């Protein structure tokens, strides 16, 4: 086991939010890097050292969308990323504010049919079954 400061066996986490409101899921359109620009993702970002995933994801959503949220259960499987990072999705409840594209090109709400036709970033496509089931449960 590695225990040194700043040296962990755990991969760094990138957390992504499945925000569902009124039966629709929030998607955000990336501006970078060039090969992902224009594609849609679940908003989120890197969890910083010392943050819980829930606190870090809520911070990212405050920065990216200007909203207050409550981070709930994990959804879908882990997606390995380059650089010893792992991408994880969480069901997130919107508490206050209207999501704005503060760091994205745009945001939009989609129903299950629109989600199926959306140009998602490849990593997030693996969650389509769970996201569709989540939408259909509301
Ligand atoms: O948004 P940011 O660039 O901080 O994300 C870090 C990494 O996680 C990037 O490689 C990005 O493509 C990936 N990511 C993803 N799906 C998301 C959020 C981030 O694949 N919903």
């Amino acid at each position: 086991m590695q225990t040194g400061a700043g040296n962990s066996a755990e991969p760094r986490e990138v957390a992504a939010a499945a925000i569902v409101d009124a039966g629709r899921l929030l998607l955000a359109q990336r501006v970078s890097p060039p090969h992902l620009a224009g594609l849609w993702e679940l908003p989120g970002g890197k969890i910083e050292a010392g943050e819980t995933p829930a606190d870090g994801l809520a911070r990212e959503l405050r920065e990216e969308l200007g909203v207050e949220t409550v981070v709930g259960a994990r959804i879908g499987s882990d997606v390995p990323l380059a650089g010893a990072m792992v991408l994880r999705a969480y069901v997130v409840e919107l508490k206050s504010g209207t999501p704005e594209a503060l760091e994205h090109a745009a945001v939009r709400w989609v129903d299950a049919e629109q989600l199926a036709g959306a140009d998602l970033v490849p990593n997030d496509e693996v969650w389509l079954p769970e996201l569709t089931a989540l939408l259909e449960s509301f």
Side-chain angles (χ1 to χ4, degrees):
M1 193 169 86
Q2 296 171 301
T3 55
N7 183 13
S8 167
E10 288 296 309
R12 291 217 26 214
E13 179 170 340
V14 178
I19 305 175
V20 177
D21 195 51
R24 295 188 303 165
L25 174 74
L26 189 78
L27 296 181
Q29 190 176 34
R30 287 194 68 100
V31 293
S32 65
H35 72 281
L36 297 178
L39 301 180
W40 297 84
E41 68 175 4
L42 301 189
K46 294 187 189 78
I47 305 305
E48 300 296 341
E51 278 183 325
T52 65
D55 287 346
L57 182 53
R59 173 188 51 74
E60 286 284 348
L61 298 173
R62 200 175 296 123
E63 293 170 0
E64 292 185 355
L65 305 171
V67 294
E68 294 301 321
T69 56
V70 174
V71 176
R74 293 268 313 276
I75 184 172
S77 52
D78 285 4
V79 181
L81 298 177
M85 293 196 297
V86 63
L87 177 66
R88 293 190 173 125
Y90 294 81
V91 179
V92 170
E93 186 186 346
L94 198 53
K95 294 306 278 187
S96 64
T98 301
E100 291 179 75
L102 302 176
E103 296 183 1
H104 287 87
V107 294
R108 67 171 167 143
W109 294 98
V110 294
D111 62 20
E113 191 180 331
Q114 292 164 329
L115 176 63
D119 286 327
L120 295 181
V121 299
N123 287 333
D124 295 22
E125 280 180 356
V126 303
W127 299 324
L128 269 174
E130 291 87 357
L131 294 172
T132 302
L134 181 67
L135 281 172
E136 288 172 348
S137 74
F138 276 83

